[in-house]
Amino acid sequence: MKFLRSLVLMLIFVAFVAGATYVAMYRLDNLGLFDREPVAEEVVEVEPEPPGPYPFIIPTNGRDITPATFEFSFLGQDVSLQAEVDPRIYHGAVMAPRGFMLANDASDAQRLAAMQDYYNKLTFDPEMDDAIISVVTQLRAVRDELNLDGDQYAELMTKFVQTIPYDENRGYVDHESKALGDPRMPVQVLVDGLADCDEKVMLLAALLSHEGYATAAFLYEQEQHMALALASEGEGFAGTGYVFIETTGVSYVSEVPTEFIGGISLQSDPVLLIFDPFEAGKTRGTGSFSDAAAAQVARIVSVRNAAEAAADEKRAYIEETPMSDEDFAREEALFNATISAMNTLRATVDNLGYDTGEFKDRAEAINWIDNNAWWE
């Protein structure tokens, strides 16, 4: 027993001496009394704060849903479309985290790269694949029935998204705080039946990308507006290699409208955000809008823009020139052609974006111009 007591006391003493020695040597070292080479302090570069949680879908139980039914016309054929959506996917999209903040010292390049990543994750979450495929399957049936080429198929998908009613209460972006808003994911648009500009752009990008087209987005930060960019066979809009598609109302692929829903006027230069579904396990497409189709659109727009002057000219001629009933009927028909050009070769939607059914799609418009545009 005495031996154990002595052993314990000895161990305590040794530990005390060792600790005291370590402390003494540490203090002497701090005083510079040991002759040794200084160790260079390791410099650690601090990366800017990464974005917060990106959106992702976790299937979630919730109430029953009924996806919206969308009706529109293309090349004179009425189309009715309804997506097949798993309620758990829809509610998972609703509950998915949305906004993120960047560090105050993040550069513009870092901010735009983060926004591009953010919109890609909103657009291509794999949980939405079945819903997107259900829409694409119905659009393919229309394509096959009408024997559409690649340009017309892109126009069909565009017309579908353009005629989705516009919801101006969504998608606010606070650029001062560098925080993004609360945009719906494509599967939500298919159920809710409403969308604002970036929500429409994401849905159209999801559809076009699934069908092999290369897409991006034109982001107008100053005006808080987004349009879709579809790969172009030629130089495209402003030399970007993409044609412009306005999704908030009906217009031609590659046409850049001068008027937008909500009275928006685009004055700033857009930045290009690339849609790339690679991270979602998909291949980025190579499909594009042809130069021939873009040239036809340019012709349509030119004829339409000249129609107003032609109408004024024809009206003045009718009012000032004596003529027979037969001549009057002929001149009246020519005048009415100018009015038809103004009304059917431009967007024909009401204030909420509903298609009125009068718009002439590109192939129809070219055929009509060949037979009626006397002023061209």
Side-chain angles (χ1 to χ4, degrees):
M1 192 70 173
K2 290 182 179 180
F3 171 79
L4 290 175
R5 188 183 301 118
S6 298
L7 180 60
V8 171
L9 291 173
M10 181 179 294
L11 292 173
I12 293 173
F13 176 77
V14 169
F16 174 80
V17 171
T21 302
Y22 175 82
V23 172
M25 293 182 70
Y26 179 82
R27 290 179 176 176
L28 290 173
D29 183 56
N30 282 345
L31 292 173
L33 298 181
F34 289 105
D35 185 18
R36 66 177 184 180
E37 291 294 326
V39 178
E41 183 177 350
E42 182 180 0
V43 178
V44 179
E45 294 185 3
V46 179
E47 294 291 332
E49 182 181 342
Y54 281 126
F56 57 90
I57 294 176
I58 298 176
T60 305
N61 291 327
R63 62 175 175 80
D64 289 339
I65 61 170
T66 301
T69 298
F70 303 97
E71 296 180 345
F72 63 102
S73 63
F74 187 76
L75 294 179
Q77 176 161 314
D78 293 333
V79 180
S80 181
L81 184 153
Q82 184 181 44
E84 297 176 7
V85 180
D86 182 338
R88 298 176 68 249
I89 303 304
Y90 171 78
H91 293 299
V94 172
M95 298 300 294
R98 285 294 195 280
F100 70 89
M101 294 288 293
L102 286 175
N104 290 330
D105 59 349
S107 67
D108 285 343
Q110 289 171 321
R111 179 173 55 83
L112 291 175
M115 290 175 68
Q116 178 172 285
D117 197 19
Y118 176 80
Y119 276 109
N120 270 277
K121 286 182 168 56
L122 277 170
T123 304
F124 299 114
D125 191 302
E127 295 288 354
M128 296 188 292
D129 284 355
D130 287 345
I132 296 299
I133 290 172
S134 75
V135 174
V136 165
T137 299
Q138 296 172 71
L139 291 170
R140 285 178 180 175
V142 177
R143 176 198 64 187
D144 295 343
E145 182 178 351
L146 297 179
N147 194 28
L148 304 180
D149 60 24
D151 293 325
Q152 292 172 320
Y153 188 35
E155 290 169 329
L156 172 66
M157 288 183 276
T158 296
K159 185 78 171 289
F160 159 55
V161 174
Q162 286 176 335
T163 55
I164 294 174
Y166 179 73
D167 186 352
E168 60 187 17
N169 296 319
R170 299 283 299 185
Y172 173 73
V173 182
D174 182 358
H175 296 297
E176 294 300 321
S177 68
K178 299 182 180 179
L180 293 181
D182 182 28
R184 293 181 179 97
M185 299 174 82
V187 71
Q188 293 174 261
V189 175
L190 294 173
V191 173
D192 296 350
L194 293 170
D196 76 337
C197 61
D198 60 345
E199 294 167 347
K200 286 192 172 200
V201 165
M202 287 187 288
L203 174 57
L204 184 53
L207 296 171
L208 287 166
S209 295
H210 188 279
E211 296 300 85
Y213 296 86
T215 61
F218 291 120
L219 174 63
Y220 292 83
E221 291 194 272
Q222 179 177 313
E223 294 86 0
Q224 297 183 355
H225 184 65
M226 182 180 285
L228 188 109
L230 172 60
S232 172
E233 190 177 62
E235 293 185 0
F237 172 64
T240 60
Y242 294 84
V243 294
F244 189 102
I245 299 180
E246 176 57 32
T247 61
T248 59
V250 179
S251 59
Y252 295 103
V253 172
S254 78
E255 177 188 0
V256 183
T258 57
E259 298 178 3
F260 299 84
I261 288 180
I264 297 175
S265 176
L266 302 180
Q267 303 294 331
S268 65
D269 294 326
V271 295
L272 196 66
L273 304 180
I274 303 298
F275 281 117
D276 188 353
F278 176 76
E279 288 190 9
K282 305 176 181 67
T283 302
R284 178 169 164 77
T286 58
S288 62
F289 197 66
S290 74
D291 279 349
Q296 286 187 332
V297 171
R299 181 188 177 196
I300 293 168
V301 172
S302 175
V303 168
R304 185 189 67 204
N305 291 344
E308 185 173 0
D312 291 340
E313 175 188 331
K314 187 57 63 177
R315 181 188 298 109
Y317 177 77
I318 292 173
E319 291 175 350
E320 297 170 0
T321 306
M323 61 185 73
S324 65
D325 290 345
E326 182 180 351
D327 289 341
F328 177 81
R330 183 182 65 253
E331 294 300 327
E332 183 182 41
L334 295 176
F335 171 76
N336 288 337
T338 64
I339 302 303
S340 180
M342 289 188 287
N343 291 337
T344 65
L345 301 183
R346 70 174 70 252
T348 54
V349 295
D350 63 18
N351 291 334
L352 293 178
Y354 288 99
D355 179 22
T356 63
E358 299 174 357
F359 181 78
K360 293 186 186 298
D361 296 296
R362 177 174 56 88
E364 290 178 313
I366 290 297
N367 182 65
W368 184 90
I369 286 173
D370 288 340
N371 292 283
N372 297 279
W374 55 267
W375 61 96
E376 186 184 22

